[in-house]
Amino acid sequence: MAKKNNKTIITCAITGAIHTPTMSDALPYTPEDIASQAIEAAKAGSAILHLHARNPKDGSVSINPSHFKAFLPIIKQSTDAVINISTGGSILNTIEERIAPAKWASPEMCSLNMGSINFSMHPLADRFKEWKFNWEEAYLRNSEGYIFRNTFKDIAFVAKELGEKQNIKFEHECYDVGHLYNLKFCMDTGLFKPPIFIQFVLGILGGIGTDIDNLIFMKRTADRLFGKDYQWSVLGAGAGEMPLTTTGSQLGGNVRVGLEDSLMISRGKLAKSNAELVTKIRRIIEDLGCEVATPEEARKMLGLKGKNKVNF
Ligand code: KMH
Ligand code: ZN
């Protein structure tokens, strides 16, 4: 069984690389909006902030370190939350490009995607006729042919550059059961040391679906593979966000919410902000008798290097 805690870590994924500005006015893409939504999410109870950058002119996905530099110091000054920088990048980026922001910033955590999959948002393109920016429709439609590449060699490269050289801990994103076996293989070859932090990612088109049965299967498989040596969290993309995080917290796991994963606060109703999503899951968790972890508690649970060891 995974190590059971009575505290639940809430990660908030602020903007991501899936949704586009047309889909919601709340989706932040300027450095000011990313920073202020991240700070508000932390105040609402999020101990970890999972961050991507965007081009402030048009909201397109960016892996340019200068776009991260524009908001990271502001967030660090205003919150104690753990900063987690994505290494997911977007279509067409090499793995070297994808880790460039984290290599510069040396945050306490980074995402690390544990296998290659189809990763598609193309059905979303049919929901809109008019677009705020002209890159959006092609970006979504082109994802139909996208393979999200995360080979064993890529994973080993990230482990060495960010884990070994910079003591950055990973949010190991697992989109299907096979990714847990990939992670186990990497553990057995010494790439990662416990405690590891696994994010079960359910609901991406190309990965496992948002059925509760799938969450239980992922958890049982991880229990078998990793014993006591891991912490886990769950995210449900789209409508699966609140049902899966609620169930996950009751199963002893941690949770991730945010506009990266779902734009909706409830069926058919857009969320006003990331903080609104954090507030909702926090209320549910506390109403059901669990406590939310502070950033310091999250640092202890995950064995992080500390806020004063980052480079921004
Ligand atoms: N949007 C998530 C489903 C990453 O940042 O490395 C995937 C993600 C990838 O969070
Ligand atoms: Zn992400």
Side-chain angles (χ1 to χ4, degrees):
M1 282 277 285
K3 204 161 51 168
K4 190 144 168 49
N5 271 285
N6 44 14
K7 298 282 172 99
T8 307
I9 300 171
I10 302 177
T11 295
C12 186
I14 302 295
T15 189
I18 293 178
H19 297 123
T20 71
T22 294
M23 297 174 187
S24 170
D25 289 338
L27 186 74
Y29 60 87
T30 65
E32 295 79 18
D33 284 348
I34 291 173
S36 67
Q37 285 220 28
I39 292 163
E40 288 307 311
K43 280 190 194 145
S46 176
I48 302 178
L49 300 166
H50 170 111
L51 293 162
H52 294 240
R54 298 222 179 207
N55 189 322
K57 288 204 176 73
D58 64 4
S60 56
V61 178
S62 169
I63 44 138
N64 185 336
S66 73
H67 290 146
F68 284 85
K69 282 180 202 175
F71 57 73
L72 287 177
I74 305 172
I75 299 172
K76 185 185 170 197
Q77 274 159 27
S78 312
T79 81
D80 269 338
V82 174
I83 306 274
N84 170 349
I85 293 185
S86 171
T87 63
S90 84
I91 305 177
L92 299 181
N93 297 136
T94 64
I95 193 69
E96 287 83 1
E97 291 166 341
R98 283 164 49 182
I99 69 164
K103 228 173 146 175
W104 159 73
S106 198
E108 291 180 81
M109 292 188 81
C110 282
S111 68
L112 178 50
N113 297 276
M114 292 310 299
S116 303
I117 52 166
N118 293 345
F119 192 125
S120 195
M121 299 85 86
H122 68 279
L124 293 176
D126 293 330
R127 297 193 195 167
F128 301 89
K129 292 227 157 41
E130 289 180 5
W131 301 90
K132 277 187 194 159
F133 299 106
N134 59 16
W135 62 270
E136 297 178 61
E137 184 176 6
Y139 177 76
L140 295 169
R141 294 204 188 280
N142 286 341
S143 68
E144 188 175 5
Y146 178 45
I147 296 172
F148 187 29
R149 183 195 143 134
N150 299 288
T151 63
F152 283 112
K153 201 167 181 180
D154 294 337
I155 292 167
F157 174 71
V158 179
K160 180 151 192 261
E161 292 299 316
L162 301 182
E164 199 182 310
K165 291 191 186 165
Q166 302 213 29
N167 195 17
I168 299 170
K169 274 274 184 179
F170 298 107
E171 175 193 11
H172 293 278
E173 300 207 26
C174 292
Y175 298 74
D176 220 321
V177 181
H179 293 183
L180 297 171
Y181 288 85
N182 294 352
L183 179 53
K184 171 70 173 156
F185 171 80
C186 294
M187 295 285 287
D188 288 346
T189 56
L191 273 190
F192 309 113
K193 300 206 173 21
I196 52 168
F197 182 55
I198 303 179
Q199 190 69 256
F200 299 142
V201 180
L202 278 65
I204 294 298
L205 183 56
I208 202 166
T210 52
D211 314 55
I212 300 287
D213 276 352
N214 290 341
L215 173 60
I216 290 170
F217 184 45
M218 294 281 278
K219 180 186 176 298
R220 280 206 186 128
T221 306
D223 282 346
R224 216 167 43 244
L225 294 175
F226 305 108
K228 286 198 173 63
D229 288 345
Y230 84 108
Q231 286 281 350
W232 66 278
S233 174
V234 60
L235 78 85
E241 180 163 87
M242 290 297 161
L244 278 166
T245 49
T246 300
T247 308
S249 70
Q250 286 296 290
L251 291 171
N254 304 290
V255 301
R256 174 171 135 176
V257 295
L259 295 173
E260 170 166 348
D261 303 329
S262 173
L263 296 172
M264 301 295 174
I265 189 72
S266 56
R267 199 174 176 80
K269 193 169 168 213
L270 287 168
K272 290 194 194 81
S273 66
N274 281 283
E276 192 184 14
L277 294 165
V278 174
T279 301
K280 177 168 176 174
I281 192 62
R282 179 183 188 157
R283 188 176 59 239
I284 293 170
I285 288 169
E286 291 179 343
D287 281 353
L288 294 176
C290 296
E291 274 181 88
V292 165
T294 64
E296 271 325 299
E297 287 164 342
R299 285 185 173 93
K300 276 208 190 86
M301 287 160 73
L302 305 183
L304 305 183
K305 65 182 176 180
K307 188 182 171 183
N308 57 357
K309 300 261 171 38
V310 302
N311 188 35
F312 53 87

